[in-house]
Amino acid sequence: MVVSKGLQFGKRAGILLAAGLLAISLTACSKKSVGAAGANKVLSIGTTAGFYPYVFQNSETNKLEGYEVDVWTEIGKKIKYEIKWQTSEFSGLFGLLDTGKINTIANSISVTDERKKKYLFDDPYVYSGAQLVVKKGNDGIQSLENLKGKKVAIQSGTNFINFVKDFDKKGEITVVNYETAEAGFNDVALSRVDATFSTKASALATIKKTGLPLQLAGQQFNVLPAANPFVTNDENKQLVEQVNKAFQELRKDGTLGNLSKKWFTEDLTNP
């Protein structure tokens, strides 16, 4: 019986020793796996996926394409982040940002004084002015003054509404809200509304791509820098520093300018 107990004790000790070694091995593997996963950092970007040529969904491939997609692909390589896209209606994008469901927004977001009070922006990557677009041959609309008594399409949540509000104190211009810029362009071409707002860059690219009977109306109202907003905190300050460094490198080697020419036909990356 004594020998038997000794054997049993030896077996138990061996099992415990093996279990201990296995636990140490698994812990080491676990730590190694966490480190490997940590290297694959993910940056989630919100967009409407309906603003050509900034970010839009290719109807044939169902993949997102556009200037901002290309830009963020290059930035992701520089800062070693995996870029993931999340689509939403424009009116919901800032809600997703505020609640931490996305890291930033890429949808030609204009850098305004009001937004700068709340959000941290990276360096602007495109400069393009607010522009009225009308049906081809409609030379009677050259300014907001000419829109009195008429309808203008504006994408919901965009800064373009402020031009109308600041000018139209008597409410003589009818604003029709659209979820996508494309819907506004189409309704102008179909004469359902008299004009739409866009950036000059987007308007030129859309007219070229779609062949819609549209034309620019008058001059740009201003030149708006577009950049990516982040919730203001210490972590994002460090992230924006990395992004800005990547932008500087992409400007210096000509990548940013070439991407702008690809989508807008000219370099719009400088003021």
Side-chain angles (χ1 to χ4, degrees):
M1 292 296 292
V2 174
V3 174
S4 176
K5 287 181 179 179
L7 289 172
Q8 289 178 3
F9 176 79
K11 289 181 180 179
R12 289 176 182 174
I15 292 171
L16 290 173
L17 178 60
L21 291 172
L22 178 60
I24 293 171
S25 176
L26 288 174
T27 300
C29 291
S30 176
K31 289 181 178 178
K32 184 177 181 181
S33 296
V34 170
N40 296 324
K41 296 173 289 187
V42 175
L43 194 145
S44 179
I45 305 177
T47 184
T48 62
F51 195 14
Y52 181 88
Y54 293 95
V55 186
F56 64 97
Q57 189 168 32
N58 186 310
S59 59
E60 295 181 357
T61 64
N62 288 325
K63 293 182 179 180
L64 293 185
E65 297 181 4
Y67 173 64
E68 289 175 304
V69 174
D70 286 353
V71 168
W72 273 104
T73 296
E74 295 299 325
I75 291 176
K77 294 176 185 177
K78 294 282 187 183
I79 65 176
K80 302 188 186 313
Y81 269 75
E82 178 185 353
I83 306 301
K84 288 193 175 181
W85 295 86
Q86 183 172 334
T87 59
S88 169
E89 294 181 351
F90 191 92
S91 55
L93 286 176
F94 281 94
L96 292 174
L97 182 63
D98 292 339
T99 55
K101 294 179 180 178
I102 57 176
N103 297 106
T104 189
I105 302 171
N107 213 79
S108 184
I109 302 299
S110 300
V111 183
T112 64
D113 290 337
E114 183 177 356
R115 286 174 176 166
K116 285 193 293 185
K117 292 177 182 178
K118 185 174 182 180
Y119 300 104
L120 179 66
F121 280 88
D122 57 23
D123 290 341
Y125 51 87
V126 66
Y127 294 83
S128 180
Q131 177 73 55
L132 276 175
V133 180
V134 298
K135 189 171 184 177
K136 191 171 184 178
N138 183 0
D139 298 323
I141 296 177
Q142 297 292 320
S143 65
L144 287 172
E145 179 70 31
N146 303 138
L147 280 177
K148 290 182 178 179
K150 296 180 172 60
K151 297 179 180 180
V152 60
I154 296 180
Q155 185 179 3
S156 299
T158 61
N159 190 50
F160 298 131
I161 186 64
N162 293 333
F163 290 105
V164 178
K165 286 183 177 180
D166 292 343
F167 171 80
D168 187 29
K169 302 299 183 182
K170 297 181 179 180
E172 297 176 87
I173 300 173
T174 300
V175 173
V176 183
N177 293 312
Y178 288 80
E179 287 299 334
T180 66
E182 284 71 16
F185 282 122
N186 287 332
D187 275 8
V188 172
L190 293 171
S191 298
R192 291 173 179 166
V193 292
D194 299 287
T196 188
F197 264 104
S198 177
T199 63
K200 182 177 181 179
S202 181
L204 290 172
T206 298
I207 292 171
K208 178 181 178 180
K209 177 194 174 188
T210 64
L212 288 171
L214 301 171
Q215 66 184 39
L216 304 186
Q219 301 298 315
Q220 296 182 91
F221 288 81
N222 61 3
V223 177
L224 301 172
N228 304 105
F230 295 78
V231 172
T232 302
N233 57 45
D234 291 338
E235 184 179 354
N236 281 339
K237 286 179 181 178
Q238 294 180 1
L239 176 58
V240 169
E241 286 179 4
Q242 294 180 58
V243 171
N244 285 343
K245 182 179 178 182
F247 269 126
Q248 292 169 9
E249 293 174 0
L250 293 173
R251 288 181 189 278
K252 187 175 181 180
D253 66 17
T255 300
L256 196 62
N258 288 334
L259 289 177
S260 177
K261 293 175 184 177
K262 171 185 174 181
W263 292 103
F264 305 122
T265 70
E266 59 181 284
D267 186 355
L268 299 176
T269 63
N270 297 300

